[in-house]
Amino acid sequence: MWRRLEMTKPDPTNSFKRLSNIAQTIFETRGNNAKIKLAADYFQSLDDDNDLLIAAQFLGEGAFSDVSGKRASVGHRTIAVLASEFCEIDYDLVFKPCRTVTGSSSETIQKLFNNLPEARAKWSNGKLTLQETSDIYEQLYITSKRDLKQQIIKESWTKMSPLEVKYFIRIMGQGSLRIGFETRSVVSAIAKAFGKDAEKVRYAHMITGSLGETAVLAKTNRLEDATFELFHPLSFMLASPIESRSIENFSEYIAEEKFDGMRCQAHISGKKVKLFSRDLNEITGSFPEIIDFFATKNLSEIVLDGEICVFKNDTIMPFQHLQKRMGVKKPSQALLKEYPVLFVAYDLIYNNGQPLFDEALSQRRHQLEKISQAYHLPITSQMEVSSLSDVEALFKQALNHGNEGLMLKRKDSSYEYGQRKKSWLKVKKPSGSLDVVILYAHAGSGKRGGTYSDFTLGISVKDDDRYEEEFIPIGKAYGGYSNEELVELNKRIKQLTLERFGPTVLLKPELMVELEFEDIQINKRTKAKYTLRFPRFKAIRWDLSPNDADTLKDVERMYQQKIDKERTSQTKNPSFIMND
């Protein structure tokens, strides 16, 4: 099979091909410091501010800035079918098996474009600049018709090398590029490139919400000019599991119940209200009753951090009820009546034109309480704790309310946006556990390169008339085992491998794992129709056989039990204050 010779002259600094090569080199490089240096050198080489903005955005956010609200809106299957047409192959007979081998659609497309003569005859090497690539994403955003989107994509592929196509697809997905280089590392690379304090760069990124804008501010010595704009989402403060942190003095913390709901940020100015989810996507249209509630209050400019819950008959309902509302852009009156929602605030991070990020939690809370009392806003109940026994009693109360557990928050903590530190701790226990069998093992990257460290786990359906298989996937997990256990697992994997698909191997179903998880959710896109929330290894059960695996019917029973569980009304020891 012939191969096209690459040109030896260097790629222009502002070419999309160069960014793609940098991304690939970062992926192949071990050590975060070395990755950061590669990105820093690249950022430093970009003379044009606009090229720098786009490069930082592509590497860390995607086709569009997180705060833009824009999406290309092209599905994975659409991309795969287009690639099959481009390569003149059958989608079901050729593309799908190749996708199984690589474990990645973008990786599959790169390999097919590289090796099939039919595809090689159509693409050219590195014809696009960063700006031209950004313009293509903008075209996809403003184009609503599917056939026109497909035409734009196919035409763009003719101007890219296979490596560029791979990263073009990943960037378009608005998620991780899967190169072991996430937002925090991009921030560090910006700081290193322009000799700035990393904390000042991180702060600028937090209040602008844009990695690209942050990079330009750092380059032009204008980090102090970074200003927060209302209706642009801020990075959320994150919590660490209490198991991973020690508490020496409980009295330094305040306790709140951890709701069985959806994290949300509310930006409000008079009658204008916008809601943002934890992944910084706007969700305003999904919850019109919350919008109407805030719009009638005529609040001055504020940003609230809180939780959306289904609240009915004075009771917080299970998260599964909230799922009925999530993603529904225009809920019907029947849906609004069946699953009414409530926004409960627990932090105030912007008030009347002033950011409160650096204020202590106790000070932010004081302002939040004054607003709550004046405008009758629901806010969390806060409880003093002085010992572990206090925490245990409140934890039991939270579970009786149907909530997930407790939050312990340092009274003097600032709002540590986008970080997991000791200031906020979550006290939870797993929702349940299942005995599952390892179906596939996937090789890791970075420090775990060459080691099978990610696993697809299955439940039994051999006695289920709905399925022909013996086991079907129920989730993926990549943590909860020791280094010694991982070594032993890899020894057994070599003995049990049936087929190899690039970095993925199919195993003879023998290895058993006790898998714990936070919740069970409906997911109609999976074969089981359910998925596990935050699954992780609890124990490798060397003593069990596949005959001991739990079944899909066990999963269905556990899901229903969670919904049917009796919950204590909020009329006694409420987890939030209505301030009616």
Side-chain angles (χ1 to χ4, degrees):
M1 193 170 292
W2 61 275
R3 293 184 177 274
R4 179 177 298 178
L5 293 175
E6 299 285 343
M7 297 180 67
T8 55
K9 68 177 183 179
D11 300 313
T13 56
N14 69 339
S15 71
F16 184 65
K17 182 182 177 184
R18 185 157 182 261
L19 179 137
S20 301
N21 284 329
I22 291 291
Q24 186 64 22
T25 305
I26 289 172
F27 171 69
E28 294 168 354
T29 299
R30 291 197 174 191
N32 198 48
N33 288 337
K35 290 174 182 278
I36 288 171
K37 186 178 187 308
L38 281 167
D41 290 345
Y42 172 56
F43 290 153
Q44 204 173 37
S45 72
L46 295 167
D47 295 326
D48 185 83
D49 290 354
N50 187 59
D51 288 334
L52 173 62
L53 185 149
I54 295 171
Q57 180 178 296
F58 281 2
L59 283 179
E61 294 174 294
F64 305 102
S65 170
D66 286 338
V67 298
S68 69
K70 296 180 179 181
R71 294 292 183 272
S73 300
V74 181
H76 293 293
R77 180 179 169 84
T78 297
I79 293 291
V81 171
L82 278 177
S84 300
E85 293 174 2
F86 194 93
C87 296
E88 300 177 28
I89 58 175
D90 186 275
Y91 170 72
D92 290 303
L93 297 179
V94 181
F95 185 88
K96 287 178 70 176
C98 291
R99 165 67 176 78
T100 302
V101 168
T102 64
S104 163
S105 289
S106 58
E107 199 84 32
T108 299
I109 292 169
Q110 179 195 9
K111 292 181 183 299
L112 291 172
F113 278 32
N114 235 336
N115 292 289
L116 292 180
E118 294 83 358
R120 292 183 65 88
K122 297 175 183 175
W123 57 261
S124 55
N125 213 333
K127 296 288 186 180
L128 296 172
T129 64
L130 291 170
Q131 182 60 59
E132 288 167 341
T133 309
S134 181
D135 291 342
I136 293 170
Y137 291 133
E138 188 68 28
Q139 281 184 283
L140 291 171
Y141 167 68
I142 63 176
T143 302
S144 56
K145 291 186 178 180
R146 185 178 179 182
D147 59 336
L148 292 179
K149 283 181 180 282
Q150 292 173 333
Q151 183 178 334
I152 292 168
I153 293 171
K154 284 199 289 188
E155 184 179 340
S156 69
W157 285 350
T158 64
K159 302 172 184 177
M160 299 180 185
S161 66
L163 183 69
E164 290 174 87
V165 170
K166 178 174 78 171
Y167 284 106
F168 174 81
I169 293 168
R170 292 187 179 181
I171 291 168
M172 183 165 57
Q174 284 298 121
S176 168
L177 295 187
R178 306 196 297 280
I179 59 175
F181 199 68
E182 306 304 326
T183 301
R184 181 178 295 185
S185 297
V186 178
V187 168
S188 296
I190 292 170
K192 185 176 182 65
F194 305 110
K196 303 302 179 185
D197 179 75
E199 185 59 28
K200 290 183 179 179
V201 175
R202 191 176 70 82
Y203 183 84
H205 171 236
M206 196 282 290
I207 61 176
T208 63
S210 165
L211 281 170
E213 184 179 343
T214 300
V216 173
L217 289 173
K219 177 188 175 185
T220 55
N221 299 312
R222 293 186 297 115
L223 285 174
E224 292 75 14
D225 293 345
T227 55
F228 168 70
E229 293 184 30
L230 204 62
F231 305 110
H232 284 189
L234 299 159
S235 299
F236 286 78
M237 184 165 178
L238 305 175
S240 298
I242 194 170
E243 295 82 5
S244 67
R245 309 283 183 175
S246 61
I247 294 182
E248 296 178 359
N249 186 355
F250 281 95
S251 63
E252 295 175 345
Y253 291 80
I254 200 79
E256 297 173 347
E257 292 191 17
K258 190 176 192 307
F259 295 108
D260 194 16
M262 175 187 185
R263 187 87 176 266
C264 178
Q265 197 174 99
H267 291 230
I268 307 160
S269 177
K271 295 186 180 300
K272 185 176 180 181
V273 183
K274 285 189 178 182
L275 305 177
F276 299 95
S277 63
R278 183 168 167 171
D279 56 6
L280 306 185
N281 287 322
E282 186 176 348
I283 53 173
T284 305
S286 298
F287 303 103
E289 64 267 61
I290 295 176
I291 306 306
D292 292 342
F293 173 81
F294 283 127
T296 61
K297 302 296 182 181
N298 198 29
L299 287 155
S300 59
E301 295 185 344
I302 64 170
V303 176
L304 300 171
D305 187 0
E307 199 92 3
I308 295 175
C309 303
V310 172
F311 186 65
K312 197 171 183 180
N313 301 324
D314 292 323
T315 304
I316 292 178
M317 306 306 289
F319 178 78
Q320 287 81 355
H321 287 208
L322 183 61
Q323 274 192 296
K324 306 288 186 180
R325 296 286 305 272
M326 292 165 64
V328 180
K329 294 183 179 179
K330 292 184 178 180
S332 65
Q333 288 301 313
L335 200 62
L336 293 173
K337 184 177 180 180
E338 182 67 19
Y339 304 106
V341 297
L342 182 72
F343 179 92
V344 182
Y346 45 68
D347 214 332
L348 178 68
I349 49 182
Y350 188 82
N351 185 23
N352 201 23
Q354 295 298 319
L356 305 179
F357 320 129
D358 295 328
E359 300 287 336
L361 173 64
S362 57
Q363 296 170 329
R364 302 198 306 272
R365 175 71 183 196
H366 177 67
Q367 294 188 49
L368 177 61
E369 288 176 352
K370 288 176 64 176
I371 293 171
S372 172
Q373 290 164 4
Y375 294 95
H376 309 294
L377 306 183
I379 62 173
T380 50
S381 298
Q382 288 195 333
M383 292 79 69
E384 296 284 345
V385 290
S386 59
S387 65
L388 183 59
S389 61
D390 290 342
V391 173
E392 290 171 345
L394 291 172
F395 179 72
K396 184 177 180 180
Q397 176 183 292
L399 295 184
N400 289 337
H401 279 144
N403 288 325
E404 293 183 340
L406 283 181
M407 292 293 299
L408 299 180
K409 300 179 178 179
R410 281 190 64 100
K411 299 172 185 177
D412 62 353
S413 60
S414 60
Y415 195 86
E416 297 162 348
Y417 38 87
Q419 297 187 90
R420 291 190 192 277
K421 291 188 175 180
K422 197 175 180 178
S423 297
W424 284 15
L425 301 173
K426 52 188 175 183
V427 185
K428 297 173 63 175
K429 71 175 184 180
S431 176
S433 66
L434 291 166
D435 291 328
V436 296
V437 63
I438 300 180
L439 300 179
Y440 294 89
H442 313 276
S445 58
K447 292 181 180 179
R448 288 180 173 173
T451 300
Y452 293 106
S453 55
D454 301 1
F455 304 96
T456 298
L457 304 139
I459 49 175
S460 175
V461 289
K462 60 184 177 183
D463 296 323
D464 195 320
D465 294 338
R466 295 170 291 179
Y467 297 89
E468 296 180 359
E469 305 96 321
E470 288 193 359
F471 302 96
I472 59 172
I474 190 60
K476 291 185 176 181
Y478 50 88
Y481 41 72
S482 67
N483 290 334
E484 293 75 15
E485 288 175 323
L486 189 60
V487 170
E488 184 60 31
L489 271 177
N490 273 260
K491 289 179 182 176
R492 296 293 302 277
I493 286 168
K494 291 179 181 178
Q495 300 166 2
L496 298 174
T497 296
L498 296 176
E499 291 185 67
R500 188 178 302 277
F501 311 109
T504 299
V505 292
L506 170 66
L507 302 180
K508 183 179 179 181
E510 285 191 12
L511 292 171
M512 294 292 296
V513 172
E514 184 178 357
L515 193 70
E516 63 181 15
F517 51 88
E518 299 299 336
D519 210 347
I520 300 173
Q521 299 175 356
I522 290 178
N523 187 344
K524 295 182 179 179
R525 293 175 295 176
T526 65
K527 186 164 284 189
K529 308 303 180 189
Y530 294 90
T531 190
L532 303 180
R533 191 179 182 197
F534 303 130
R536 66 263 185 194
F537 282 40
K538 182 178 181 182
I540 301 172
R541 296 300 302 270
W542 307 106
D543 57 318
L544 298 183
S545 77
N547 292 329
D548 299 307
D550 285 316
T551 68
L552 176 57
K553 291 180 179 178
D554 292 323
V555 173
E556 293 168 335
R557 173 180 51 78
M558 294 169 75
Y559 175 84
Q560 195 60 43
Q561 284 177 342
K562 177 72 181 292
I563 293 178
D564 296 340
K565 179 184 175 183
E566 188 172 336
R567 292 165 172 244
T568 304
S569 168
Q570 293 286 325
T571 54
K572 184 179 180 181
N573 296 322
S575 52
F576 64 92
I577 305 165
M578 290 296 291
N579 278 321
D580 292 329

